[in-house]
Amino acid sequence: MTDKPQIPVLTHAWLPIVAAITVAGAIVLGPRGAVSSLVPDDPIETRILTELRLPRVTLGFLAGAALATAGMAFQAVFRNALATPYTLGVSAGASLGAAVYAHLGLAASLAGIPGYALAALSGALLAIALVYAVAQATYAFSSSTLLLAGVAISFVCTSVILAIQYIGDVTTSFRIGRWLLGGLDVVGFQPVVHVLPFAAIGIAILLAVSRDLDLLAVGEESAASRGVAVATVKKLIFAAASLMVGGVVATCGPIGFVGLVVPHIGRLLVGPGHRTLGLFSVLAGGTFLVACDALGRTVVAPVEIPVGIITALIGGPFFLAMLVQGHARRRLRGAA
Amino acid sequence: MSAPHRSRVLWSSVSALLLSLPAAAQSPARIVSLAPSVTEVLFEAGAGARVVGVTSYCRFPPAALSLPKIGGYLTPNYEALVALQPDLVVTLAEHADLEPRIRALGIPILRVDHRSLEGIIRSVEQVGERCGVATRAKRAAGALRQTLAAASRLISPPRPRVLICFGRAEDFRRLTAAAPGTIHDDLITYAGGVNALTSGSVSYPTLSAESVIRLDPDVIIEFSSGSVDAAARRRQWRRLDSLRAVRNGRVHVFTDELLNVPGPRFVRFAGTIARAISGD
């Protein structure tokens, strides 16, 4: 394979093809059997397709792409394979916002944005601001301080959520529990419109700094010696990724695993260069989440399995298999 | 789509149109229930024949078992919901965050409150009024109120102090009790007892064996769902024989499935609790 001349664009041409087929499949796959939604003369099916399934698949793709790209950026900046989009406390802060909202017994909306999403976004922004303030107060916005502050704030938020669930009545607990499951089951395109600016701007910034990510992933000192304004770039990446994740989590809830595992699969498949890896994360992250959600809403239809359960259930074993296979391949190559 | 299916769709839309003509939007013909207790209330109120969809947890009345399912109680499948073309969805307080989505689909909502016994009874009336079966629903609600009144009369003062608990492990760890303000506290009160717990700051606090012994209630009522042996659960309480309820044989264990559903059957259960407390 390495003997053939390679055209970079064509090497990974399979990826957009797989993505397009998967997304198309997710759109036509209905709980009442495949392609039921393609019957053109059935007004109900048309309604389901345009008001429910298309927005849901679009939101799923946006959310998956955003989470995977944010995960990739955090893993590079922190040079930590375990970093996820939620490592810096964004998801815990958002969850706390939603929990407080449920505890207060509120049910409101502002300019078409549901109240729990606004509460979750406020929680996420608060967590981001706290982590930023702590990191800023320490020497040169150090990565380890960022990480530790994020983890600590996550723990604090999580225990407050547990406390609220404990003291609250059954209704509150159910509302919080439902929110923590996460989900893409939206009605209409409005939620997509809410998430779009966060995801688009965040992804654009993270793709634009791919060269800096390459250098940061090697080490901050060597990146600085190659002309990267480390502190500034780190702040930019931190802000772009965190705000993007906050926007996604506010609408979709904390959907796990996509942001952790998709970048790693990308490193195994397309290599560690962030220009290609970034595009891979966008495409594969979106496709993976859309596929998981399609499974979740069809396997035991009409009962839906929340997508967060599916992502880990399918993604975990798949990732483990890839790790083992990648290791075996490297050993073979080493022996040859 | 097959021809018979299409004609059925046509017929159902025609009949839906005909049904909707006389009473306009007042009387829904295709109702979807979003919770097991709501399903029970719909049938109790006399609107059962118009229920076209229920959750996968709705097992009572038996007629609900054969109805189309719209998914879980907190995770309804909106595609299945739209496909049923409901003209009314009946929800509970815990559906507050889902309601905007149902409304966005253009489906009217009736929210009822099943967090108290009176709320359950009132919901029978609310459903009746909304569905044009107010007379029958009022009668059903009246019967439920009479059941509660009769239960309250069973016990003469002083009212015994009752601890109502569930979800404990065999060694009495993770014992959860119901505090004042909960629907289970309602059950104790209507059944003629007073809650042994006096503070309602935590609705369902976890109690240690030590705090149960300190409370020393006159009567202990334990709800235990699933396939558990009530007699065996009751025997376990002998380990705490310093409790006056244990010494006097006033520990009662109930395993009925209906105890998980705050519907009309739950209201009627106040009679059973009253008989247990009064030692009948």
Side-chain angles (χ1 to χ4, degrees):
Chain A
M1 161 169 176
T2 44
D3 296 337
K4 289 183 199 160
Q6 289 193 7
I7 308 165
V9 183
L10 291 183
T11 322
H12 305 303
W14 57 272
L15 182 62
I17 297 171
V18 171
I21 293 172
T22 312
V23 171
I27 291 171
V28 296
L29 193 66
R32 290 192 278 166
V35 296
S36 66
S37 48
L38 292 186
V39 180
D41 61 345
D42 188 334
I44 301 173
E45 291 292 354
T46 312
R47 229 185 131 197
I48 288 177
L49 188 68
T50 55
E51 280 182 50
L52 296 167
R53 194 128 0 116
L54 282 176
R56 182 172 183 161
V57 169
T58 318
L59 182 67
F61 195 91
L62 272 182
L67 292 174
T69 319
M72 173 200 79
F74 282 152
Q75 285 163 8
V77 171
F78 296 126
R79 279 174 293 136
N80 187 329
L82 289 176
T84 76
Y86 305 148
T87 303
L88 294 188
V90 180
S91 145
S95 303
L96 179 57
V100 169
Y101 177 78
H103 183 66
L104 296 176
L106 299 172
S109 63
L110 188 73
I113 305 173
Y116 66 87
L118 285 174
L121 186 64
S122 319
L125 292 177
L126 205 66
I128 295 170
L130 258 173
V131 171
Y132 182 88
V134 171
Q136 185 68 20
T138 62
Y139 177 70
F141 211 65
S142 118
S143 289
S144 53
T145 314
L146 262 181
L147 268 178
L148 291 173
V151 170
I153 285 168
S154 288
F155 274 118
V156 172
C157 291
T158 308
S159 39
V160 178
I161 294 169
L162 287 176
I164 291 177
Q165 282 197 296
Y166 180 67
I167 61 171
D169 61 8
V170 183
T171 305
T172 310
S173 292
F174 273 136
R175 280 178 73 184
I176 297 173
R178 177 67 197 92
W179 196 87
L180 289 174
L181 282 176
L184 300 166
D185 48 342
V186 290
V187 172
F189 273 98
Q190 213 174 17
V192 180
V193 174
H194 298 152
V195 171
L196 186 65
F198 289 99
I201 296 172
I203 289 173
I205 292 175
L206 294 181
L207 290 183
V209 296
S210 62
R211 187 182 155 272
D212 298 325
L213 283 173
D214 282 341
L215 294 170
L216 281 172
V218 177
E220 290 185 9
E221 276 137 41
S222 73
S225 72
R226 299 272 207 100
V228 178
V230 172
T232 316
V233 170
K234 270 168 65 184
K235 278 179 197 166
L236 177 69
I237 293 169
F238 167 72
S242 298
L243 289 175
M244 171 165 76
V245 173
V248 168
V249 172
T251 296
C252 306
I255 299 170
F257 211 71
V258 185
L260 170 70
V261 88
V262 169
H264 284 305
I265 294 177
R267 284 186 195 98
L268 289 169
L269 289 179
V270 304
H274 283 89
R275 206 165 71 88
T276 325
L277 187 58
L279 292 172
F280 176 91
S281 297
V282 171
L283 266 181
T287 309
F288 177 66
L289 196 57
V290 165
C292 288
D293 185 50
L295 271 179
R297 77 183 147 77
T298 46
V299 274
V300 282
V303 175
E304 295 203 356
I305 306 171
V307 66
I309 297 173
I310 304 276
T311 48
L313 218 55
I314 304 283
F318 178 70
F319 181 53
L320 287 177
M322 284 206 64
L323 270 182
V324 172
Q325 209 192 8
H327 179 68
R329 207 184 299 144
R330 230 168 287 139
R331 271 181 56 187
L332 274 177
R333 224 180 274 156
Chain B
M1 185 190 293
S2 63
H5 186 186
R6 191 174 303 170
S7 67
R8 210 182 317 140
V9 169
L10 186 68
W11 169 240
S12 67
S13 39
V14 168
S15 56
L17 191 69
L18 288 177
L19 276 173
S20 64
L21 276 180
Q26 262 89 34
S27 204
R30 299 181 60 79
I31 307 169
V32 166
S33 156
L34 237 47
S37 63
V38 168
T39 304
E40 282 189 31
V41 162
L42 281 164
F43 277 86
E44 186 85 13
R50 282 185 256 167
V51 179
V52 295
V54 296
T55 73
S56 51
Y57 300 106
C58 296
R59 302 199 191 93
F60 190 87
L65 285 170
S66 55
L67 287 171
K69 305 287 180 283
I70 52 101
Y73 131 78
L74 291 172
T75 51
N77 180 323
Y78 298 100
E79 297 191 6
L81 189 64
V82 168
L84 286 173
Q85 291 184 280
D87 49 13
L88 182 68
V89 171
V90 186
T91 63
L92 293 176
E94 44 266 53
H95 296 120
D97 303 322
L98 312 182
E99 284 172 0
R101 286 178 232 180
I102 299 169
R103 230 173 267 126
L105 287 167
I107 307 170
I109 293 172
L110 172 66
R111 191 204 285 185
V112 295
D113 190 347
H114 286 175
R115 288 175 291 186
S116 65
L117 294 189
E118 179 51 33
I120 298 171
I121 298 176
R122 210 167 43 236
S123 78
V124 175
E125 294 170 331
Q126 283 172 295
V127 163
E129 277 159 29
R130 183 68 177 259
C131 301
V133 285
T135 322
R136 181 175 164 185
K138 274 215 166 62
R139 214 180 314 132
L144 287 173
R145 285 207 177 88
Q146 267 171 12
T147 309
L148 286 187
S152 302
R153 282 195 299 269
L154 267 182
I155 290 180
S156 44
R159 290 151 70 96
R161 290 169 59 251
V162 180
L163 179 74
I164 192 158
C165 61
F166 14 64
R168 67 169 173 87
E170 285 175 13
D171 56 358
F172 291 92
R173 296 182 63 195
R174 295 183 298 281
L175 180 144
T176 304
T182 62
I183 192 168
H184 294 94
D185 176 69
D186 257 13
L187 210 50
I188 299 173
T189 311
Y190 279 110
V194 283
N195 202 329
L197 287 175
T198 47
S199 161
S201 57
V202 176
S203 301
Y204 290 96
T206 307
L207 301 184
S208 63
E210 182 187 325
S211 22
V212 175
I213 290 169
R214 279 183 203 287
L215 277 175
D216 200 15
D218 299 317
V219 180
I220 292 171
I221 304 274
E222 181 182 341
F223 287 172
S224 196
S225 57
S227 51
V228 289
D229 180 2
R233 295 287 287 185
R234 202 162 163 248
R235 276 197 301 277
Q236 286 166 9
W237 279 96
R238 286 189 200 149
R239 281 183 58 189
L240 302 186
D241 55 7
S242 65
L243 286 170
R244 130 192 20 215
V246 175
R247 283 199 310 272
N248 299 338
R250 299 184 81 183
V251 176
H252 305 276
V253 179
F254 297 100
T255 57
D256 310 58
E257 185 124 340
L258 68 91
L259 296 172
N260 297 323
V261 184
R265 291 184 298 163
F266 192 87
V267 176
R268 287 188 205 104
F269 205 75
T272 311
I273 303 276
R275 281 190 294 281
I277 294 180
S278 67
D280 232 3

